[in-house]
Amino acid sequence: MTNTTKKQTLSQTLCQGNLAKLPTSIDIPTYDRSQLKAGIVHIGVGGFHRAHQAVYINELLKTPGSEQWAICGVGLLESNRGLRDILVKQDYLYSLVVRHPNGNIDNKVIGSMIDFIFAPDSKQAVINKLAHSDTKIVSLTITEGGYNVNPTTGELDLNNASIAHDIANPDDPSTAFGYIVAALKIRKNSGMPAFTVQSCDNIQHNGAVTRKMLLSFTQQQNPADAELSQWIAQHVQFPNAMVDRITPVTTKADIDYVAQTFGLLDEWPITCESFSQWVIEDNFNDDRPQWDKVGAQFVSDVTPFEKMKIRLLNAGHSVLGLLGSIHGYATIDETVSDKDFSDYLRAFMDLEVTPLLDQLDGIDLAQYKDTLIERFSNPNIKDSLARICSESSAKLPKFLIATITENLALKRDCSLAALVIASWCLYSDKQVNQAQQALDIQDAMRDELAKYAQKTPTDKFAFLKLNSLFGDLIIKRAFNKHYDNAIDALYSPSSDIKEIMKSTLSKKHKKVSAETK
């Protein structure tokens, strides 16, 4: 191939008309996309959705009789404009690069999305699509923060500016809740059946949380219309689900790989690990996709599965993310490949999380934790610590602080988790690693976290006074003892995070050994 030919080939975009030009080794949609209907409207089309739910639907669409379960994506934020433009140009197709730990790669084109509505330009179009009779499921990946839960009270955060706007302006929605309630109001008033609202975010009891927040929002927005809240409570289902697939942020290297391998340009491909899991409560308003035919699992109660995943995988990510960032590592795989970090993570999982988990039929917890370490170690998934630590203020109350609180209630030691919280304080305060290199901190509460953390040199417990995150943790003497020691060590002029981890772990093992004698 000449340079000219190669340049011409790579200037062609991945789209329906160019699928036939792809190498036969690439898995492409074999179904007729022109015959599909969008039975699912998905709000929040990020990388995870395109590596997870959209992939399950892609596989299901290969089965005749599933044509009604394609996806219409919705972007609520101005930052989604670029994604909309790319997807439209590509006929809503995108490439998926699945990287196995052994180096093998599966290359796919996903065709399950057939439309995308950019809400800032077409608010009524979003509402109309949600209200359309074809729509059976409205699914969500809006991140933990998108549910606007006050972590201290567990109630809807009415102080959030977007929520306050939507409550006051029901005809000008900006949040997922605003759009969903507007569409459900149309359905109720038109005598149409309700759709199912399906959260696919990493929140324990994500369906129950969505239901509680949506009903609270509806009551606040429509105080004179009690019938609407009652109708939603009676007719809308919110199945809980546990979702799992590590999906790093797309990089230029991913785009270059796809261009070279596919011979077509995809401006926003997705890379992910080979592992994927989806456990769903079988609780839907109407018909639902037969996801169990393509690897998902329907259960009557997802609670023990989601607790296992959130407390081990998600919390484990945060443990590695914060400690590894302070040390100076950039990715999860290089962090967990360091024995000091993997030993600390495994001890945290074994000693502070596992005793709180329920036993699950068919799940070997020791093997599950081994698999987590293997997944984190995958050298072909360069998942950045900056991504892992992003929006920690929305994640840690659910992933880590819940475990601390439960251990304290049971009078159990939580010294390993206390060091992680103290490290979060240092991370938010100094915003540099041990080599004095700037950290890429992405958090809606970044300034507020820094404000509290920067008082630490004169008030050791200043960070814990941010009670919207920590609640009454500051008055828990058993926790404060460990937090005090961790702050002293971390803020020492000769501080070395690895030495602090080893010291903390050594004390932990001695305590456990003494208790078991």
Side-chain angles (χ1 to χ4, degrees), residues 83-103:
L83 175 61
R84 185 276 308 271
D85 294 344
I86 290 169
L87 289 174
V88 169
K89 186 191 309 182
Q90 298 181 180
D91 296 327
Y92 311 103
L93 295 167
Y94 62 92
S95 50
L96 183 77
V97 179
V98 183
R99 297 185 179 274
H100 296 256
N102 63 4

Side-chain angles (χ1 to χ4, degrees), residues 437-508:
Q437 297 167 322
L439 295 168
D440 178 13
I441 300 179
Q442 306 161 30
D443 200 301
M445 291 184 65
R446 174 176 175 160
D447 292 344
E448 193 171 7
L449 289 165
K451 175 184 173 183
Y452 280 79
Q454 286 165 4
K455 298 176 183 177
T456 301
T458 57
D459 178 0
K460 284 185 189 178
F461 301 102
F463 193 54
L464 299 182
K465 291 178 181 177
L466 185 49
N467 58 16
S468 64
L469 294 180
F470 299 110
D472 64 355
L473 202 57
I474 194 168
I475 66 172
K476 303 294 185 181
R477 295 177 63 183
F479 175 81
N480 286 344
K481 176 183 66 174
H482 299 303
Y483 183 82
D484 187 344
N485 293 336
I487 289 293
D488 279 346
L490 288 166
Y491 277 77
S492 166
S494 58
S495 171
D496 182 317
I497 189 65
K498 290 182 69 170
E499 293 304 316
I500 295 169
M501 287 164 51
K502 286 190 278 189
S503 174
T504 305
L505 192 54
S506 175
K507 292 175 183 176
K508 179 79 171 187

Side-chain angles (χ1 to χ4, degrees), residues 27-43:
D27 181 4
I28 65 172
T30 55
Y31 44 86
D32 184 353
R33 296 180 74 230
S34 69
Q35 298 302 306
L36 301 179
K37 292 197 302 184
I40 300 171
V41 176
H42 185 82
I43 300 175

Side-chain angles (χ1 to χ4, degrees), residues 346 362-374:
R346 188 57 188 251
I363 298 289
D364 181 327
L365 280 175
Q367 185 179 45
Y368 180 81
K369 289 179 284 189
D370 289 342
T371 301
L372 286 183
I373 298 290
E374 179 185 16

